[in-house]
Amino acid sequence: MKTNLECIPCLFEQALRTAMMVTQDEQKIKQVQDELGEIIKEISLESTPPMLAKKMYENVALITGKEDPYQELKHKSTLEALALYPSVKEQVSRSIDPLLTAAKFAAIGNVIDFGVNHGYGLLDEINDVLTREFGVFDYGAFKEHLSKANEVLYIGDNAGESVFDRILIEEMGKNVTYVVRGGPVINDVTLKEALQAGIDTVATIISTGTNIPGAVTEFCGSEFNAAFQKSDMVISKGQGNYESLSDEERSIFFLLIVKCNLVAEEIGVQKGELVLKGIN
Amino acid sequence: MKTNLECIPCLFEQALRTAMMVTQDEQKIKQVQDELGEIIKEISLESTPPMLAKKMYENVALITGKEDPYQELKHKSTLEALALYPSVKEQVSRSIDPLLTAAKFAAIGNVIDFGVNHGYGLLDEINDVLTREFGVFDYGAFKEHLSKANEVLYIGDNAGESVFDRILIEEMGKNVTYVVRGGPVINDVTLKEALQAGIDTVATIISTGTNIPGAVTEFCGSEFNAAFQKSDMVISKGQGNYESLSDEERSIFFLLIVKCNLVAEEIGVQKGELVLKGIN
C-alpha cells in the first residue's frame, strides 16, 4: 500500500503523541514537529506508510534522547495481556470452534494500539471489541490453508497483542516462526516483549531485521525474506504489516483491526472493524 | 489564546482539506504540505492559532493559484442560509424569548464550518444542534449589557452564518457595526458574502483590515481597532475570533460552537457545545 497524502497530518499527530509521552519540554516537542517538517519533504508517495513512521520515530528518539519511548507501555501491555491469558484460554477451549475464537482474540489483541493512544484498560477494550463482527472474514480459506500447512510464518505487530498471538499459535498446532521487529518502534513487539509474552515456548522467533513498523520485504533482512518465501502459510497481524505486504504476490492472511479510513476504504470495511482477509 | 503544539497536526489536516478542495494534483498537494513543513519552523508558540491559519491558507493559495479556494462554498452556504431565513425568522418571532432564540440560531449558524468539512446539509446540521443545550450561557449578562448599549460591534466569522447574525442583529435593535475579514481566508465572511447575506441592510460593515481568520487586534487595521475600543458592547462570533480575543481586557461576549478540544478545555465545555460566554 502506498503512502497517501492523508498520512502526513496523521504522522504529525503521532509524532506529537509520542514526543509528549517522553518529554514535557515544549521546545523539544516543537523541534520534533519542525524536524518532521524537514522529513516529509524527502517522503515519496511511492513508499509505504510504515517507512514514514520509521523516520518519524527515529526523529522523536533522536530529539528526546529516548530510543524506546514506548518501552514501559509495552511491558505493561504484555503484563496486562498475560493476566488475561488463563481466562482467554478457557473461553477458547469452551467455545464451539476454538480456532475461530482464538483467531478472534488474536485480532482483538490488535486493539492494544488504541489503548496506548486512548489510555483505557485492556479488558474494557476487549469487551468492547468482542461484541463486533468481522467486516471481512475469510475463515473458510484460512482454515483450509492451515490444515494443509506445515510451516507457518506469523508476523507479529504490537507488544501485548503477542500474548493473544501465542494463544492462536497454540490452537493452530503447527510449526510456527514468529516475526518481531528488528528494533524498537512505536509499541511494536521486539524480541524482548515476545520473550516476555512466552512466544518462545510455542514458536521460533526471528526478526524483520529492521525497525520499520511493518514488514516491508525490500528492507527486511535475509532471514525474514527466506522464511517469507518458504513458509506454507503467512499470517500477518495488524495494520502496519497490512500496509507493507498488501501488494505482495504470495498468499497471505491478514488479521487486524482497521485503524484508519484509508485502510478501511481499501479493504471495504469501516474503521474499527475486525478483518481476517486472505490474498492470492 | 496561544498556539498549542496540538495545533500543528490540525493545521496539516486543514491544509490537506483545503488543497484537495481546489486541486486533484497530488504533487501540488504534497508541495502544500512540504511548504507547510517550512512554515511551522517559523511559528512561535506565543502567537495565536489564527496567525498560523493565515500563513497556511496563503501557502495553499500560492501553490494552487486559487486566491479564494472556498469562494463557491461561501456563496452556496449563504444561499442555503438565505433560503432558511423566513422560517428562522418565524421561529424566532413565535418563541417566548425572541432574543434568546435569535442568539441560539446565531450560535448554531457557527456550525456551518462543520458543513464545509463534512459535507452534510445545513438543515440537518441545524436540526442536530438545536437539540443541544449551551455549555456556557451568560445570557443574563448578555441581555443586561445589550439593554444599556447604544453601539454594538459584532465580529462575524463564517459566510452563511452571517444570515443568522443578521437575524440576531434585527432582534437586538441597536446600532450595529458588523466586522468582516479584510480578505479571503477559509470560509470566513468577507464584504462580498456579507452583502450577499444582506448585512448592509441592518448594520454598517467594516473589515478587520487583514485576512487573519480571527480578529487579532495587533494586526487589525485602525478602523477596526477604533470601533473595538469605542463600542459599548462587543459580540464575537466563532472560534477563530475567540482564539484571537480571549486575552483582551475589554468586555466581550463570545458566541460560538466549540470545534476543538483545546478551546473546549479552556472554556470548560465539551467539543461541539454551544457557548455564550462573557469576559471582563
Side-chain angles (χ1 to χ4, degrees), chain A residues 111-218:
Chain A
V111 86
I112 288 172
D113 242 14
F114 286 112
V116 169
N117 292 330
H118 301 121
Y120 52 102
L122 184 54
L123 199 60
D124 290 342
E125 293 165 40
I126 286 175
N127 286 331
D128 178 41
V129 184
L130 266 176
T131 61
R132 293 186 218 156
E133 291 299 308
F134 277 83
V136 178
F137 193 47
D138 295 341
Y139 181 60
F142 177 82
K143 215 169 160 178
E144 198 192 325
H145 269 73
L146 188 63
S147 70
K148 294 176 189 163
N150 291 311
E151 300 281 340
V152 178
L153 189 75
Y154 193 116
I155 310 173
D157 185 21
N158 301 319
E161 178 178 347
S162 291
V163 174
F164 301 95
D165 294 337
R166 178 179 154 190
I167 292 172
L168 177 55
I169 292 167
E170 286 165 350
E171 208 52 50
M172 283 165 24
K174 298 285 178 180
N175 289 324
V176 173
T177 300
Y178 189 83
V179 183
V180 298
R181 306 294 182 223
V185 61
I186 333 177
N187 64 334
D188 286 22
V189 63
T190 67
L191 180 60
K192 189 174 170 181
E193 296 84 32
L195 292 174
Q196 190 193 350
I199 295 289
D200 56 320
T201 64
V202 297
T204 305
I205 303 174
I206 67 168
S207 108
T208 55
T210 163
N211 67 339
I212 299 167
V216 184
T217 55
E218 187 187 350

Side-chain angles (χ1 to χ4, degrees), chain A residues 17 30 38 40-41, chain B residues 6 17 30 38 40-41:
Chain A
R17 300 284 150 240
K30 179 66 166 45
E38 282 296 318
I40 57 161
K41 272 183 258 176
Chain B
E6 307 254 355
R17 299 285 149 239
K30 178 68 166 42
E38 282 296 320
I40 57 161
K41 273 183 259 174

Side-chain angles (χ1 to χ4, degrees), chain A residues 9-275:
Chain A
C10 182
L11 203 67
F12 274 88
E13 182 68 31
Q14 287 182 54
L16 178 66
R17 300 284 150 240
T18 308
M20 286 171 77
M21 189 176 288
V22 289
T23 181
Q24 294 189 313
D25 183 335
E26 282 211 338
Q27 290 312 316
K28 276 199 175 160
I29 303 172
K30 179 66 166 45
Q31 195 189 339
V32 163
Q33 293 175 312
D34 290 352
E35 297 287 330
L36 188 56
E38 282 296 318
I39 292 169
I40 57 161
K41 272 183 258 176
E42 298 152 22
I43 288 168
S44 159
L45 295 176
E46 294 299 309
S47 66
T48 60
M51 290 300 295
L52 266 76
K54 169 191 155 75
K55 287 182 187 169
M56 183 270 282
Y57 276 88
E58 283 174 347
N59 172 43
V60 175
L62 190 71
I63 292 168
T64 64
K66 292 259 187 184
E67 199 213 345
D68 192 0
Y70 284 87
Q71 188 169 18
E72 270 180 53
L73 261 166
K74 287 191 288 185
H75 185 75
K76 193 168 154 270
S77 293
T78 308
L79 283 181
E80 275 187 50
L82 281 170
L84 296 176
Y85 178 87
S87 70
V88 173
K89 278 296 273 190
E90 200 192 326
Q91 279 195 62
V92 167
S93 65
R94 267 206 328 249
S95 68
I96 298 167
D97 187 338
L99 180 69
L100 188 156
T101 310
K104 188 162 191 182
F105 270 108
I108 289 170
N110 190 234
V111 86
I112 288 172
D113 242 14
F114 286 112
V116 169
N117 292 330
H118 301 121
Y120 52 102
L122 184 54
L123 199 60
D124 290 342
E125 293 165 40
I126 286 175
N127 286 331
D128 178 41
V129 184
L130 266 176
T131 61
R132 293 186 218 156
E133 291 299 308
F134 277 83
V136 178
F137 193 47
D138 295 341
Y139 181 60
F142 177 82
K143 215 169 160 178
E144 198 192 325
H145 269 73
L146 188 63
S147 70
K148 294 176 189 163
N150 291 311
E151 300 281 340
V152 178
L153 189 75
Y154 193 116
I155 310 173
D157 185 21
N158 301 319
E161 178 178 347
S162 291
V163 174
F164 301 95
D165 294 337
R166 178 179 154 190
I167 292 172
L168 177 55
I169 292 167
E170 286 165 350
E171 208 52 50
M172 283 165 24
K174 298 285 178 180
N175 289 324
V176 173
T177 300
Y178 189 83
V179 183
V180 298
R181 306 294 182 223
V185 61
I186 333 177
N187 64 334
D188 286 22
V189 63
T190 67
L191 180 60
K192 189 174 170 181
E193 296 84 32
L195 292 174
Q196 190 193 350
I199 295 289
D200 56 320
T201 64
V202 297
T204 305
I205 303 174
I206 67 168
S207 108
T208 55
T210 163
N211 67 339
I212 299 167
V216 184
T217 55
E218 187 187 350
F219 297 99
C220 286
S222 55
E223 190 179 24
F224 170 82
N225 276 309
F228 184 68
Q229 290 311 326
K230 88 171 192 5
S231 298
D232 305 315
M233 183 174 185
V234 174
I235 299 171
S236 159
K237 288 293 299 290
Q239 192 171 290
N241 287 323
Y242 177 82
E243 288 166 347
S244 306
L245 294 166
S246 63
D247 296 330
E248 289 289 329
E249 284 176 6
R250 70 150 296 158
S251 157
I252 304 174
F253 284 92
F254 294 102
L255 195 53
L256 68 149
I257 290 182
V258 175
K259 292 168 187 170
C260 92
N261 290 327
L262 294 170
V263 173
E265 199 177 317
E266 184 164 308
I267 299 182
V269 296
Q270 298 292 307
K271 192 170 136 180
E273 280 197 288
L274 298 169
V275 167

Side-chain angles (χ1 to χ4, degrees), chain B residues 98-111:
Chain B
L99 181 69
L100 189 154
T101 309
K104 189 162 191 183
F105 271 108
I108 288 171
N110 189 231
V111 85

Side-chain angles (χ1 to χ4, degrees), chain B residues 218-240:
Chain B
E218 186 187 349
F219 298 99
C220 285
S222 55
E223 189 180 24
F224 170 82
N225 276 308
F228 184 66
Q229 290 311 325
K230 87 170 192 7
S231 300
D232 305 314
M233 184 175 185
V234 174
I235 299 171
S236 160
K237 288 293 300 290
Q239 191 171 291

